[in-house]
Amino acid sequence: MIFSKACEYGIKATVFIAQKSLNNERCNLTDISDEIDSPKAFTAKILQKLVKAGIVNSSKGKLGGFGINMKDSKKIKLIDVITAIDGNMIEKTCVLGLKKCSEDHPCPVHNQFKFIKKDLLKMVHKTTLSDMSKSVDIGLSCLKI
Amino acid sequence: MIFSKACEYGIKATVFIAQKSLNNERCNLTDISDEIDSPKAFTAKILQKLVKAGIVNSSKGKLGGFGINMKDSKKIKLIDVITAIDGNMIEKTCVLGLKKCSEDHPCPVHNQFKFIKKDLLKMVHKTTLSDMSKSVDIGLSCLKI
DNA sequence: TTAAATTAGGATAAAATTATCCGATTTATT
DNA sequence: AATAAATCGGATAATTTTATCCTAATTTAA
Ligand code: SF4
Ligand code: SF4
């Protein structure tokens, strides 16, 4: 609901990598899928997308793994991760999925729903990777179970 | 996003049937899938669910079709239609899909998201079939294109 | 230089969702 | 009674999403 499974994993993975990067630790695929409780091979595919989108960096070989630039994690917003994986459908698609959606061509729930959508978009544009990873780091929130 | 395709069709179909019932007209499958622009056979399956859930009534044979009791349409809420088709996942599942979700076991976006979820639930519990169908009936909203 | 550990990427499989098909049943009309 | 129009319901197909497998390429360390 709202996000695809791939996107859920992507968000959790990104937050976990960012959290590790807080303490200058790199992490590998096994760490990640263990910590966020996700299928390993599938998570690998998602990480590739995030690397291509420039959200996380990766390195091969022994001591390789994934990381996120500390400076970046303050600039990267939740919406960036979502867009990298699910595309921009969160911006354009909506409850009843009309082809054409606007104020003068609304579906029967548009006026009720538009405020919720606005809040949702505001939230994902505001929340940073840094916010989320710090919250996990100090034990205020969890990534699995 | 948010609702499955089946649920989108279900909501639109229900609203259309309710609108027709406003003018004491019954409608058949062909009318419905034409008016909401949905695949006919798939829509038939969804209508069966709605009939079983007691949201719409159906009759077979010539002059058969679907209808909604006028009195009912004031009592039937959007949440009832959603639950009939998608089950109650809208109530229990959430953005990052943790297995256990609560105030003392939150994911990193729980505190931002909980208000949005609350608003969404409030909305679907408040909005009636009558509200939606009247809005379509007087041309304030549309079910396709 | 060899071995081990890692990401990258293509091919494929499994599962879930969406969609179609067809025969059975019901009902009104002729 | 026959016919036509409608829903019902089971079987199946197509598509999309989720998940796995395997090989290649890269990098470190022994
Ligand atoms: S709520 Fe508004 S934007 Fe969303 S589908 Fe309905 S008309 Fe379109
Ligand atoms: S937002 Fe709250 S309820 Fe939803 S997955 Fe996160 S912790 Fe669970």
Side-chain angles (χ1 to χ4, degrees):
Chain A
M1 183 227 181
I2 292 198
F3 301 138
S4 67
K5 224 77 188 115
C7 195
E8 286 182 15
Y9 298 150
I11 294 169
K12 287 191 263 194
T14 312
V15 172
F16 176 68
I17 298 168
Q19 186 215 341
K20 281 294 175 192
S21 297
L22 278 178
N23 311 320
N24 278 13
E25 292 177 44
R26 256 183 125 56
C27 46
N28 62 30
L29 179 57
T30 307
D31 297 337
I32 296 170
S33 68
D34 279 356
E35 286 303 318
I36 73 176
D37 199 26
S38 67
K40 207 166 159 180
F42 191 41
T43 308
K45 298 295 185 194
I46 295 163
L47 286 166
Q48 285 182 38
K49 277 193 180 184
L50 292 168
V51 168
K52 276 181 184 150
I55 291 172
V56 318
N57 61 68
S58 70
S59 50
K60 287 183 176 181
K62 242 177 172 169
L63 303 194
F66 302 90
I68 290 176
N69 193 294
M70 278 305 296
K71 234 170 44 191
D72 286 355
S73 88
K74 291 202 185 81
K75 282 185 250 152
I76 297 172
K77 308 293 197 326
L78 189 46
I79 183 70
D80 300 321
V81 180
I82 294 165
T83 305
I85 295 164
D86 276 356
N88 69 336
M89 68 173 187
I90 191 180
E91 308 270 358
K92 58 180 186 191
T93 80
C94 214
V95 266
L96 296 195
L98 298 193
K99 291 195 208 81
K100 186 174 179 294
C101 300
S102 64
E103 281 297 323
D104 45 62
H105 193 88
C107 74
V109 290
H110 176 80
N111 284 300
Q112 292 93 322
F113 196 75
K114 62 182 175 187
F115 303 106
I116 293 167
K117 189 182 177 182
K118 206 165 91 183
D119 287 348
L120 177 64
L121 286 177
K122 201 199 298 178
M123 189 270 267
V124 297
H125 273 97
K126 192 177 59 189
T127 305
T128 69
L129 215 41
S130 171
D131 297 335
M132 294 185 284
S133 59
K134 278 179 188 159
S135 133
V136 172
D137 199 49
I138 62 181
L140 278 184
S141 62
C142 326
L143 291 172
K144 67 172 172 181
I145 309 179
Chain B
M1 180 227 180
I2 292 197
F3 301 138
S4 67
K5 224 77 187 111
C7 195
E8 285 183 15
Y9 297 150
I11 294 168
K12 288 193 262 195
T14 313
V15 172
F16 176 68
I17 298 168
Q19 185 214 345
K20 281 295 176 191
S21 296
L22 280 178
N23 312 318
N24 278 13
E25 291 178 45
R26 258 186 123 57
C27 47
N28 63 31
L29 178 57
T30 307
D31 298 337
I32 296 169
S33 66
D34 279 356
E35 287 302 319
I36 72 174
D37 199 23
S38 68
K40 207 165 158 178
F42 190 42
T43 308
K45 296 295 184 194
I46 296 162
L47 285 166
Q48 283 182 36
K49 277 193 179 180
L50 292 168
V51 168
K52 275 181 187 151
I55 292 173
V56 318
N57 60 67
S58 70
S59 50
K60 286 184 176 179
K62 244 177 174 170
L63 303 195
F66 301 90
I68 290 175
N69 195 295
M70 279 304 297
K71 230 170 45 190
D72 286 351
S73 87
K74 293 203 183 79
K75 279 184 251 155
I76 298 172
K77 307 294 197 322
L78 189 45
I79 184 70
D80 300 321
V81 180
I82 294 165
T83 304
I85 296 164
D86 276 355
N88 69 335
M89 68 173 185
I90 191 181
E91 309 270 0
K92 60 179 181 191
T93 82
C94 215
V95 267
L96 297 195
L98 298 194
K99 291 196 209 78
K100 185 172 180 296
C101 300
S102 63
E103 281 298 321
D104 46 59
H105 193 85
C107 74
V109 291
H110 177 81
N111 285 302
Q112 291 93 321
F113 196 75
K114 64 181 175 187
F115 303 106
I116 293 167
K117 188 181 177 183
K118 205 164 91 180
D119 287 348
L120 177 64
L121 287 178
K122 201 200 297 177
M123 190 271 269
V124 298
H125 273 97
K126 192 178 59 187
T127 305
T128 69
L129 217 41
S130 172
D131 297 334
M132 296 186 281
S133 59
K134 278 179 188 160
S135 133
V136 171
D137 200 48
I138 64 181
L140 279 184
S141 61
C142 324
L143 291 172
K144 67 170 172 182
I145 308 181

